Amino acid sequence: MEFRIDRSSGLPAYLQLVRQVREALRLGWVGPGDRLPTVRDVVASSGVNANTVLKAYRELEMSGLVEARQGSGTFVKAGLGSTDPGVMDALRAGLAAWVREARAAGLEEEDIDALVRSVLAAGETEGEEVAVR
């Protein structure tokens, strides 16, 4: 697992790390028993302060998702999501195709984000229309 920090996002770096671990758990990219990168490795690859990584790992530990083992590292303790990984992969592929189509239509990342958030906020299911606000 490799972390990426977006310094322009406005979201604190430790929360970006937490979010990325949670997303990896949800997508099935990491699971119970897997070892997270060492603090030193995260610092070297992302350029964040060691205390930032420790804060993120502590937050994940307090939420019951990981456990720190003295001298061994930080390990995933629990998974997130209950959807079959094959289903998640298929949905991700469909979403990736949609994003390529949106970019080809000239949409920028913020436009795509706004569309996705509007659909999520409306709680859309097949056949429902989004209310224009």
Side-chain angles (χ1 to χ4, degrees):
M1 176 170 194
E2 189 171 318
F3 294 105
R4 289 184 175 74
I5 302 301
D6 179 0
R7 301 198 187 283
S8 66
S9 79
L11 189 65
Y14 86 96
L15 288 177
Q16 291 182 49
L17 296 173
V18 168
R19 177 182 282 172
Q20 289 174 45
V21 170
R22 292 180 65 86
E23 287 173 356
L25 285 166
R26 238 174 238 297
L27 294 170
W29 295 342
V30 295
D34 289 343
R35 185 172 176 257
L36 293 182
T38 65
V39 171
R40 181 177 298 176
D41 288 344
V42 177
V43 168
S45 68
S46 68
V48 298
N49 184 291
N51 288 329
T52 299
V53 181
L54 288 169
K55 185 174 183 177
Y57 281 10
R58 272 193 304 273
E59 173 119 351
L60 290 163
E61 191 169 14
M62 287 189 309
S63 65
L65 296 174
V66 302
E67 65 180 343
R69 297 181 192 159
Q70 190 67 28
S72 298
T74 303
F75 292 83
V76 175
K77 185 174 160 182
L80 285 175
S82 58
T83 303
D84 179 290
V87 171
M88 289 293 276
D89 288 344
L91 290 170
R92 186 174 191 281
L95 181 58
W98 180 85
V99 168
R100 283 191 299 277
E101 184 180 340
R103 286 187 174 142
L107 274 69
E108 296 179 5
E109 190 169 324
E110 286 184 14
D111 301 320
I112 293 169
D113 187 53
L115 276 174
V116 170
R117 288 182 187 281
S118 72
V119 170
L120 289 172
E124 278 198 24
T125 59
E126 192 174 337
E128 290 183 8
E129 292 185 26
V130 176
V132 178
R133 295 182 176 106

